[in-house]
Amino acid sequence: MHAWRAACKSNVQARLLIPKGRFVVSTMFFAGPCLTPGPITIQVVGTVAATTDISEYANGEWLMFEELDGIKLIGGGTFDGMGKGSWATAENCEADESNNCVRNPSSIYFHNVRNGIIQNIKSVDPKGFHLFVTSCANIRLRLLKLTAPATSPNTDGIHISNSIDVKLSKNIIETGDDCVSMIQGVNNVTINKLKCGPGHGISIGSLGKYPEEQEVKDIRVKNCTMVGTTNGLRIKTWPDKYPGAASDITFGDIVMDKVKNPIIIDQEYECEPANCKKKPSLVNIKDVVFSNIRGTTISPIAVDLRCSKQFPCQDIKLQNIDLNLGPKPSGSRCANIKPIYTGVQRPAACL
């Protein structure tokens, strides 16, 4: 922390170096604003490892970067969250309707950060999320390798909320939850050349869980590969909780390799089947394109589009969908939606 403060307070360009070796630290704030004339650089060559006593993380996260304008986190080094011992007691906050759930700490947390480049960094075995990006702008996440066992709970790769202009490119994510998750207030996100799996795929949502949620819009996902994931491309919303919206979303040129739910809009998230029709989602989904999605699935329903009875999905387009279930044809399911189809449709279109 002395080194960080010296670099941050420098009025000439400065760099904080984490050299070769293994350095064990508990929760830390890397807080700005900094005085350096250009972006402050953190070069990680060695391994930064977390302490294993979960009681030391009263602040909620492990390494927190806050109130910074211009930061580069680079160097090829590793952040080891030492999460194995904490996974057994992890709470599933995603499925908790009470909103009182306490997540395990994220490894790297960015809050109120502008103009950031996070490049060529590894994250292994986080207690919670690998990277958490919230209330940020103009963030680039490149050449990252994020790994945790498929059985590790709530270990999202990159989680984004209330942020604008975020670009992900050439990342490899193998984890136990969503490779990338986006919730309220996310605007202008591009995901390019992501290799995802194992994991739960790319998720928008769940939406409609909290009052006064901001819209998710202008999302571009392209040139990605999903390998053995539980879901592929997913938009999910809670039934009968709060209003919300998601619009202007494009998924294009995606390869699926033995993916369970390749294309899914689920507006009945965590809903008991008997109650879903009585409690339609209040989230409005419109202007979504699934284009050139191809490969293999292990699910008999490869395209699953279940929208809200109160707010049916609008302008959902499927272009050139080619998903095979081994030697058998896969199927599709639709509810409260009138999709627009062009090109190849395998499975056959549902109306």
Side-chain angles (χ1 to χ4, degrees), residues 135-162:
S135 301
C136 293
N138 192 27
I139 304 295
R140 304 294 181 264
L141 301 149
R142 306 172 181 149
L143 299 169
L144 306 178
K145 185 167 185 183
L146 315 179
T147 58
T151 54
S152 58
N154 304 312
T155 53
D156 288 30
I158 300 172
H159 179 80
I160 309 170
S161 69
N162 291 307

Side-chain angles (χ1 to χ4, degrees), residues 27 29-30 36 39 64 69 72 93 98 103 113 129 134 191 196 202 206-208 222 231 261 310 318 324 340-341 343:
T27 183
F29 281 98
F30 297 89
T36 53
M64 290 165 280
D69 188 351
K72 293 182 179 179
C93 294
S98 71
R103 292 182 298 102
V113 173
F129 300 165
T134 186
I191 303 172
C196 167
I202 297 173
S206 56
L207 304 178
K222 56 187 180 181
N231 300 287
N261 298 302
Q310 187 163 344
L318 288 92
N324 298 292
I340 301 164
Y341 296 103

Side-chain angles (χ1 to χ4, degrees), residues 274-286:
N275 295 327
C276 288
K277 292 182 180 179
K278 300 176 185 176
K279 300 180 177 181
S281 175
L282 305 179
V283 177
N284 221 317
I285 298 174
K286 64 180 182 179

Side-chain angles (χ1 to χ4, degrees), residues 94-95 129 156 158-161 177-178 180-186 200-210 213-216 219 233-238 245-246 249 251 264 266 269 283 285:
E94 181 69 13
F129 300 165
D156 288 30
I158 300 172
H159 179 80
I160 309 170
S161 69
D177 210 297
D178 295 332
V180 180
S181 55
M182 293 165 275
I183 60 170
Q184 62 159 321
V186 172
H200 294 181
I202 297 173
S203 289
I204 295 173
S206 56
L207 304 178
K209 186 175 184 179
Y210 304 104
E213 282 191 1
Q214 299 297 307
E215 183 176 7
V216 174
I219 310 296
L233 313 169
R234 176 168 61 159
I235 303 173
K236 53 182 177 175
T237 77
W238 284 85
I249 299 163
F251 302 100
I264 179 168
D266 180 7
Y269 183 66
V283 177
I285 298 174

Side-chain angles (χ1 to χ4, degrees), residues 22 44-49 62 75-81 120-124:
R22 187 174 179 87
V44 182
V45 178
T47 296
V48 183
W62 178 27
T78 300
F79 293 91
D80 186 346
N120 192 23
I121 289 293
K122 303 178 188 73
S123 169
V124 300

